[in-house]
């Protein structure tokens, strides 16, 4: 067994001797994403993210980076092409219904975290696990594991509104990772923070994703940040074209 891969496998996985999944964790082919007003800012996106791989997505402002993430998550309509997550097509391309957002196994982290400000750190992290129907004992263990991983164990009982921006983003990261998403999508997770903190948190995000073995796409407009966080960088080009097929 490949020890490098084994080390990146999530600690809660039961099947440590099972063969590594084949193929991509996330595969986009010819994806176009439309808004309700009829505009189609993403016209042809091809992307492959290998299991455990962290890919940075860069490109000009307005080029369609957020839109492609929203299409992957199911928040906007994919009107052409295919989106496969762990080998399952989720966009409804085959004529079926699109898989709903909460069934795609996709985690999301936004610039501003979108946390519940009056709830405690632990209550924020447990949120997705309750929604996913995890039992109480498993929930507690998983929350403790994630808080440890992002270095917030001491702050478990603090309301989120009393935290710094960097701490709040670590809560957002822990919350989105708690249900062990098959793919994590991070949309400029560090943009609201000041420069010093950004560099530190970029390293921490990479370490946390690697410890969990999470496949991820992280949007950033900072090339240095991309280099720190990701295994490789892809670029959203003009006309909403992302060309990263068949590497
Ligand atoms: P980026 O994240 O790369 O800065 P976006 O994906 O947010 O770019 O935006 C791509 C294009 O889609 C832009 O022209 C933007 O104005 C447009 N857009 C974003 N959100 C919407 C929306 N809800 N409805 C219609 N157009 C939108
Ligand atoms: Mg954006």
């Amino acid at each position: 067994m490949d020890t490098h891969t084994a080390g990146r496998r999530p600690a809660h996985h039961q099947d440590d001797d099972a063969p590594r999944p084949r193929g991509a964790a996330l595969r986009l082919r010819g994806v176009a994403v439309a808004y309700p007003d009829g505009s189609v800012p993403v016209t042809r996106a091809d992307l492959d993210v290998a299991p455990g791989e962290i890919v940075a997505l860069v490109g000009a402002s307005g080029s369609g980076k957020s839109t492609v993430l929203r299409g992957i998550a199911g928040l906007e309509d994919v009107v052409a092409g295919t989106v496969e997550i762990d080998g399952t097509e989720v966009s409804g391309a085959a004529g079926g219904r699109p898989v709903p957002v909460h069934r795609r196994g996709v985690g999301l982290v936004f610039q501003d975290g979108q946390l519940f400000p009056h709830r405690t750190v632990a209550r924020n992290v447990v949120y997705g696990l309750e929604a996913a129907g995890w039992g109480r004992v498993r929930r507690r263990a998983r929350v403790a594991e994630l808080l440890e991983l992002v270095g917030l164990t001491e702050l478990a009982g603090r309301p989120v509104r009393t935290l710094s921006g960097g701490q709040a983003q670590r809560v957002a990261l822990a919350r989105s990772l708690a249900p062990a998403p098959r793919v994590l999508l991070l949309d400029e997770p560090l943009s609201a923070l000041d420069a010093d903190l950004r560099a530190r948190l970029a390293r921490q995000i990479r370490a946390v994703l690697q410890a969990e073995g999470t496949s991820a796409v992280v949007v950033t407009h900072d090339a240095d940040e991309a280099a720190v966080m990701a295994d490789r960088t892809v670029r959203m080009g003009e006309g909403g074209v992302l060309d990263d097929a068949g590497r």
Side-chain angles (χ1 to χ4, degrees):
M1 177 171 189
D2 176 350
T3 50
H4 178 69
T5 307
R8 291 175 58 161
R9 208 176 278 270
H12 54 279
H13 269 210
Q14 307 289 306
D15 56 343
D16 268 0
D17 293 323
R20 189 152 64 121
R22 288 177 163 278
L26 176 66
R27 169 172 288 150
L28 272 54
R29 286 292 180 272
V31 165
V33 185
Y35 282 109
D37 68 1
S39 61
V40 187
V42 173
T43 56
R44 185 162 50 83
D46 291 322
L47 175 67
D48 285 290
V49 181
E53 187 178 37
I54 307 167
V55 174
L57 175 58
V58 302
S61 177
S63 60
K65 304 182 297 296
S66 296
T67 303
V68 77
L69 294 196
R70 295 177 66 81
I72 295 165
L75 296 168
E76 307 297 343
D77 287 343
V78 170
V79 293
T82 55
V83 177
E84 284 178 25
I85 298 173
D86 272 353
T88 302
E89 210 292 314
V90 297
S91 77
R97 298 251 290 265
V99 175
V101 178
H102 63 280
R103 296 247 179 77
R104 291 194 181 194
V106 170
L108 290 162
V109 177
F110 298 100
Q111 182 172 324
D112 64 358
Q114 305 198 335
L115 299 168
F116 301 110
H118 298 292
R119 291 196 192 171
T120 64
V121 168
R123 294 289 305 151
N124 270 274
V125 176
V126 84
Y127 171 76
L129 300 180
E130 288 169 345
W134 288 43
R136 193 154 174 270
V137 173
R138 276 180 81 213
R139 288 202 307 259
R140 286 182 80 132
R142 184 64 175 151
V143 170
E145 184 180 25
L146 263 299
L147 291 182
E148 182 77 38
L149 194 58
V150 299
L152 290 175
T153 302
E154 310 300 312
L155 300 182
R158 282 264 295 272
V160 158
R161 68 180 146 73
T162 69
L163 302 181
S164 71
Q167 289 168 338
Q169 280 307 71
R170 279 148 62 198
V171 176
L173 182 64
R175 183 176 69 171
S176 60
L177 282 173
R182 289 186 278 202
V183 180
L184 186 67
L185 308 175
L186 304 99
D187 197 352
E188 309 211 25
L190 304 175
S191 292
L193 307 174
D194 59 47
D196 266 12
L197 186 57
R198 280 217 304 265
R200 204 152 21 103
L201 210 49
R203 284 191 296 275
Q204 204 177 9
I205 286 176
R206 178 173 181 80
V208 167
L209 292 178
Q210 286 188 324
E212 283 283 303
T214 306
S215 313
V217 180
V218 54
V219 171
T220 171
H221 53 247
D222 183 318
D224 293 339
E225 228 167 73
V228 169
M229 281 191 284
D231 299 309
R232 65 194 181 87
T233 297
V234 298
R235 176 170 293 275
M236 180 67 77
E238 282 181 31
V241 174
L242 170 60
D243 186 7
D244 176 55
R247 285 170 298 115

